[in-house]
Structures are given as structure tokens and as C-alpha cells.
């Protein structure tokens, strides 16, 4: 394969070239396969608190707030006479309670920023950018959005706990890890889903006849529509209902669950809907928690799931409208392997269609920022707040797709005139943070390939009035905006 293929391996399959990386990818397919064999980076995230710990801290903070409100109501004093001196606001019981709660809130916020900063530091520095891109791909496939308060703390932990360890393994394991993660259970309300005929629902009716606990179909619907079969995957509304019943009882620890749910997941038999379930024509025994797990295993190996996953991967890595024959070959390889993701990826990178001249992808805002960080040695991760503000301004706030469908993945979604104007501004800001003694023309050749040292872009970089201006021209150039 030629230099163009090496550039594609690094910039389209990877996260954007670091200086020197193109030379490492002289055997592009071998370079990508080696990353799959090595697997994802888990050690970098080992020091971060787990979801179970984060939920315990969050529950402690919420309990403290509830207790404060109760104490305020109990200690409410009559209003002072008109001529009395105004009370010292800082000395009120409410202010004192807020001061006691502050460390809990600050610790939660600090952990969240540490998590996000580390995510982008790994992306900007990793020597396995293909695998790291796959982590981000699956995180968007199984999207949760932190603008929903219940899931605010859980998006980054779900990526590192449920997605990262399984990204080169079996899809069935990845699917189960995600659907039982507290982030997904809270985001799509399954933690509050109660079987209509469960022990918990019957008990609630006896205590309060007018109160009705009930089934929530959100997670079941998205499992079928987004996570496995796809919107045209052949399921019906009754399949959604049956799957929703099968996964009742899958939830998260409550404050009273001391010692349970160390990883943030709890199965509650009293909330589970009893009975045999039928999904896509297959019957599943009344087997408690195992019933939902069995359905997920079968969904993972359904031909519609294979095609849905193959299409989304090919669209992400190859082209907005990937060749149908490539998608079919990828899906067939997945099914032959028994649902091994590495086989699915290998079928893509081993196929000549993935390396054709028409294969190219427009960078999303996150791709654009991460590729600039990699190219210029820019350490935006040192100030996660500034990094998040930049992504927000560019239209892709981190972990906030505002839909379970995730962020879009085609050029038409990211290449509007206003979006491009904002990239020009961002390019100028990023150019000012390029590290070391680098020259724009050399950086262009090192990251976009030797061809970038010739032609109009090279001429513009030579005419730049300063290195910063040259870097801004490079980052804003059409060649840098595409994963080619």
C-alpha cells in the first residue's frame, strides 16, 4: 500500500496524526491489526472512582440536602419585627448546612472534570488511535446525554467501565455491560421500571390503591431500535413491551442498599415482572434476571443486528454512504465469528473498498479538536473546562447529544456555513497553543502526508506572517477538516 493508505490509516481510522506517526503506519493494515491485538488502554483510567462509589457520594449529597430542607422547615422562626436588625445571612442554619454539603458537591464536580480531562488526554496522546476511536464510536452508539440530571455523572464512567474493556471482545458482552450500567439504566429510566404484576407493584396497590407503579419501555425500545436490530430490524411494539418486562428489576442502588451494588448495578426480584416472555417469536422462560440476559444474547447474534452494526461502522470509518457490498461482507464476518467485534473490524480494514479513493469522512467538532491536539501537542486536557467550552461552541458538547441516537455522523450534519466559521475561530485559538519549536509546513507534511508540502496549502503556509498564523491556516484548511 502507498503513502496515501498510511495517511488514511492514521487520519481516517485513527484520531489524526501525531508527528512521526505516518512513518509507523507504513504497513497500514498491519498497524491497525496490531492495535486490535493489543486492545484498549485500561491502566490510564484505573485511579478514577467507579460508578458505585459515585452513586454513593451522590446519594449522600442528596440525603444531606433533604435533611437540610427538613431542618429548615422545623426551625422556621417567625419574621423579625420591622425595626429589628437584618440577620447575618452567612450565619443562618441554611448557610451552615450548605457549607457542610460543599465538600461533597466539590468532590463530585472534581471527579467529573478529572474523568473528562483524562479521556481527552488519552485521545490526544495514545499510540493506539484506532482502538481509541472505536471506544468513542461505541460510546456514541450507546449514547447517554448528561443534560438529563439522573445521568449527569455517569457518561464518562460508562465509557471507561462498560465500553472500553469490551471494545475488541464480543458484542454480546459489550451489550450486556452497557445495558446493566447505571448510566444507561438511569438515563433511559429502567431503574424506575416496575412490572405491573410484580410483588412490589402489588404491595404498593395494597398500601395505596390509587397509586400505580408501572412499566417503562424506554430502554427496551432503544435496545431494539438503536443498540441492536436497528429501526427497520423487524421488531414490533409487542416485542418492545415483552423486552421491557424481561428487564424489570434491573436498577441501581438506593441509599438504603448498604453493601449492595458495588459496581452501581442492582437486580431487584420484587420489581421483576413474572412470566414467560416472547421476543421476535422466541420464548424465554420465567427465569428472573437471566431472562433479560438471554434475550440480549440472542439479539446480539441476530442478522439484523449484524447488518446494523456493520453499516454504522462502515459509515463512520469509510464514507457517509458506504458501499453496500462492504456492509454485507462485514456483517457476514461478524456472524461467522459468533459476534466477535475484532472480526467485524478486521473484515472492514482487510476489504479494498475501505481504502478506495472515494473513502473519506468530514471531521466532527470533537475529531477536529482532538486531531489538532495530536498534531500540535496541545494539552487542552489540562483545563477541562476550557476544552468543554470549546466543544460546546463548536456544536458538539461532550457527552451531550441530547438524544439516545447519539451525535450525527455525516458531513451534512457538521459542515454548515456557521459551523465552518466557528472552526476558523477555533483554529486560531488552537494555533496559539502549539507546543515546541515547530514549523507549519513541516507539521503539515508530518500530519497530512508528504503531498501537503506541495500545492496551494504549502504556498499559503510559506507566506504566513508568523508560525501561529501558519498553524491557524493549517488547522482551518480543507485538507485538515477531512479524514481522508
Amino acid at each position: 500500500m502507498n503513502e496515501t493508505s498510511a495517511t488514511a490509516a492514521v487520519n481516517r481510522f485513527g484520531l489524526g496524526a501525531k508527528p512521526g506517526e505516518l512513518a509507523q503506519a507504513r504497513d497500514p493494515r498491519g498497524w491497525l491489526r496490531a492495535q486490535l491485538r493489543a486492545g484498549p488502554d485500561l491502566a490510564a483510567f484505573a485511579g478514577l472512582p467507579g460508578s458505585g462509589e459515585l452513586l454513593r457520594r451522590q446519594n449522600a449529597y442528596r440525603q444531606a440536602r433533604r435533611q437540610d430542607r427538613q431542618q429548615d422547615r422545623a426551625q422556621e422562626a417567625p419574621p423579625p419585627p420591622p425595626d429589628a436588625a437584618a440577620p447575618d445571612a452567612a450565619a443562618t442554619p441554611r448557610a451552615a448546612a450548605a457549607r457542610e454539603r460543599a465538600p461533597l458537591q466539590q468532590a463530585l464536580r472534581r471527579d467529573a472534570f478529572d474523568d473528562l480531562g483524562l479521556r481527552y488526554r488519552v485521545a490526544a496522546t495514545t499510540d493506539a488511535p484506532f482502538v481509541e476511536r472505536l471506544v468513542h464510536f461505541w460510546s456514541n452508539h450507546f449514547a447517554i446525554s448528561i443534560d438529563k440530571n439522573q445521568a449527569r455523572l455517569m457518561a464518562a464512567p460508562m465509557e471507561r467501565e462498560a465500553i472500553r474493556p469490551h471494545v475488541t471482545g464480543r458484542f454480546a458482552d459489550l451489550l450486556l455491560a452497557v445495558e446493566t450500567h447505571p448510566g444507561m439504566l438511569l438515563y433511559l429510566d429502567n431503574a424506575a421500571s416496575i412490572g405491573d404484576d410484580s410483588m412490589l407493584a402489588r404491595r404498593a396497590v395494597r398500601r395505596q390503591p390509587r397509586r400505580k407503579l408501572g412499566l417503562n419501555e424506554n430502554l427496551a425500545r432503544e435496545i431494539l431500535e438503536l443498540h441492536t436490530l436497528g429501526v427497520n430490524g423487524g421488531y414490533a411494539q409487542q416485542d418492545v413491551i415483552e423486552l421491557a418486562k424481561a428487564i424489570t428489576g434491573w436498577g441501581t442502588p438506593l441509599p438504603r442498599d448498604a453493601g449492595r451494588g458495588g459496581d452501581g448495578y442492582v437486580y431487584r426480584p420484587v420489581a421483576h415482572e413474572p412470566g414467560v416472555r416472547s421476543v421476535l417469536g422466541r420464548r424465554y422462560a420465567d427465569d428472573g434476571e437471566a431472562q433479560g440476559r438471554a434475550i440480549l444474547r440472542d439479539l446480539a447474534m441476530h442478522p439484523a443486528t449484524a447488518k446494523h452494526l456493520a453499516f454504522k461502522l462502515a459509515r463512520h470509518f469509510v464514507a457517509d454512504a458506504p458501499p453496500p457490498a462492504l456492509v454485507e461482507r462485514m456483517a457476514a464476518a461478524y456472524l461467522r465469528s459468533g459476534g466477535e467485534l475484532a472480526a467485524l473490524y478486521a473484515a472492514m480494514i482487510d476489504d479494498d473498498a475501505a481504502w478506495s479513493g472515494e473513502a473519506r469522512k468530514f471531521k466532527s467538532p470533537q475529531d477536529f479538536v482532538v486531531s489538532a491536539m495530536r498534531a500540535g501537542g496541545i494539552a487542552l486536557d489540562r483545563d477541562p473546562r476550557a476544552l468543554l467550552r470549546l466543544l460546546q461552541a463548536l456544536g458538539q458538547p461532550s457527552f451531550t447529544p441530547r438524544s439516545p441516537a447519539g451525535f450525527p455522523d455525516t458531513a451534512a450534519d457538521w459542515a454548515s456555513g456557521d459551523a465552518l466559521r466557528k472552526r476558523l475561530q477555533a483554529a486560531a485559538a488552537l494555533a496559539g497553543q502549539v507546543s515546541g519549536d515547530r514549523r507549519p509546513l513541516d507539521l503539515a507534511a508530518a500530519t497530512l502526508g508528504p503531498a501537503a508540502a506541495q500545492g496551494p496549502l504549502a504556498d499559503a503556509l510559506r507566506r504566513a506572517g508568523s508560525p501561529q498564523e501558519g498553524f491557524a491556516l493549517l488547522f482551518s484548511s480543507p485538507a485538515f477538516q477531512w479524514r481522508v
Side-chain angles (χ1 to χ4, degrees):
M1 303 185 82
N2 56 27
E3 290 175 344
T4 302
S5 298
T7 303
V10 172
N11 288 324
R12 184 157 50 78
F13 288 96
L15 292 168
K18 298 186 296 182
E21 199 164 39
L22 289 175
Q24 299 169 15
R26 288 191 179 125
D27 173 12
R29 288 173 175 167
W31 185 70
L32 297 175
R33 287 193 208 99
Q35 294 179 49
L36 294 179
R37 288 193 296 271
D41 183 356
L42 303 179
F45 298 85
L48 294 172
S51 291
E53 174 62 22
L54 292 172
L55 286 174
R56 283 191 289 275
R57 294 181 191 177
Q58 187 178 53
N59 284 333
Y61 173 70
R62 288 173 175 171
Q63 280 188 300
R65 289 193 64 185
R66 281 194 293 271
Q67 291 170 359
D68 294 343
R69 287 194 293 268
Q70 292 169 357
Q71 290 174 3
D72 284 347
R73 286 194 292 269
Q75 298 174 5
E76 208 167 66
D83 57 346
D88 181 0
T92 63
R94 185 185 298 271
R99 286 196 299 273
E100 291 179 7
R101 288 197 314 270
L104 292 171
Q105 189 177 31
Q106 290 167 1
L108 288 169
R109 186 178 291 119
R110 182 179 61 250
D111 289 336
F113 282 121
D114 287 348
D115 217 335
L116 287 167
L118 185 53
R119 179 190 198 240
Y120 289 104
R121 185 179 316 143
V122 169
T125 60
T126 181
D127 292 324
F130 179 39
V131 172
E132 196 64 23
R133 175 171 285 283
L134 286 166
V135 171
H136 292 189
F137 167 83
W138 289 113
S139 191
N140 194 55
H141 177 81
F142 294 109
I144 64 178
S145 191
I146 61 174
D147 58 343
K148 185 168 183 174
N149 190 52
Q150 293 94 317
R152 188 173 299 279
L153 297 177
M154 291 290 112
M158 190 182 87
E159 181 179 273
R160 58 180 162 87
E161 294 171 343
I163 292 172
R164 185 172 292 275
H166 301 289
V167 73
T168 56
R170 295 173 64 247
F171 179 69
D173 297 332
L174 171 61
L175 180 66
L176 180 62
V178 168
E179 310 305 356
T180 56
H181 192 275
M184 189 62 73
L185 294 169
L186 291 168
Y187 178 57
L188 290 177
D189 307 304
N190 205 78
S193 184
I194 308 294
D196 292 337
D197 293 324
S198 67
M199 287 188 288
L200 186 59
R202 293 198 301 270
R203 187 186 306 160
V205 169
R206 286 197 299 270
R207 291 176 177 172
Q208 300 181 46
R210 294 185 179 180
R211 183 186 179 197
K212 182 173 174 58
L213 303 178
L215 191 69
N216 190 296
E217 300 174 10
N218 290 352
L219 179 56
R221 179 172 290 103
E222 305 309 356
I223 288 174
L224 295 172
E225 179 178 325
L226 299 176
H227 300 168
T228 59
L229 305 175
V231 67
N232 296 314
Y235 67 91
Q237 172 59 20
Q238 189 58 36
D239 295 311
V240 174
I241 294 171
E242 290 287 280
L243 176 54
K245 290 178 179 179
I247 59 176
T248 47
W250 295 20
T252 59
L254 299 173
R256 63 175 177 269
D257 290 322
R260 293 187 67 198
D263 59 356
Y265 169 73
V266 168
Y267 172 65
R268 302 182 193 285
V270 295
H272 182 73
E273 176 78 358
V276 175
R277 306 267 75 86
S278 178
V279 177
L280 299 176
R282 181 170 294 188
R283 290 170 62 81
Y284 296 87
D286 185 0
D287 200 14
E289 181 185 18
Q291 187 179 63
R293 291 172 178 252
I295 296 172
L296 291 186
R297 281 196 300 273
D298 288 344
L299 287 173
M301 287 306 301
H302 195 284
T305 297
K307 189 169 183 179
H308 181 56
L309 301 182
F311 172 79
K312 287 194 70 175
L313 274 161
R315 185 180 64 184
H316 183 76
F317 282 96
V318 179
D320 289 355
L326 170 63
V327 174
E328 293 291 345
R329 290 191 289 268
M330 290 170 61
Y334 171 86
L335 293 173
R336 284 196 305 271
S337 73
E340 293 288 343
L341 289 172
L344 179 61
Y345 309 147
M348 176 175 62
I349 63 178
D350 288 342
D351 200 301
D352 289 344
W355 303 89
S356 74
E358 291 74 37
R360 56 192 247 140
K361 289 289 297 184
F362 190 77
K363 292 179 180 178
S364 69
Q366 178 176 283
D367 285 336
F368 166 64
V369 172
V370 169
S371 61
M373 291 172 68
R374 289 177 66 82
I378 301 170
L380 287 181
D381 56 276
R382 294 176 184 169
D383 185 0
R385 289 174 176 82
L387 175 56
L388 297 180
R389 286 194 298 270
L390 177 60
L391 291 170
Q392 173 86 33
L394 290 171
Q396 194 177 19
S398 188
F399 290 120
T400 316
R402 300 189 173 90
S403 164
F407 287 109
D409 199 16
T410 65
D413 296 301
W414 298 118
S416 69
D418 182 60
L420 294 177
R421 283 192 294 273
K422 289 177 179 176
R423 291 201 188 196
L424 291 175
Q425 297 168 354
L430 290 164
Q433 300 188 54
V434 174
S435 65
D437 185 18
R438 309 181 189 216
R439 297 197 311 164
L441 189 60
D442 294 340
L443 191 62
T447 56
L448 301 179
Q454 305 170 10
L457 175 59
D459 293 339
L461 296 179
R462 291 188 187 96
R463 291 194 301 268
S466 66
Q468 183 172 340
E469 181 183 334
F471 294 135
L473 286 169
L474 171 60
F475 293 155
S476 61
S477 68
F480 197 83
Q481 300 307 311
W482 288 86
R483 293 162 43 209
V484 179

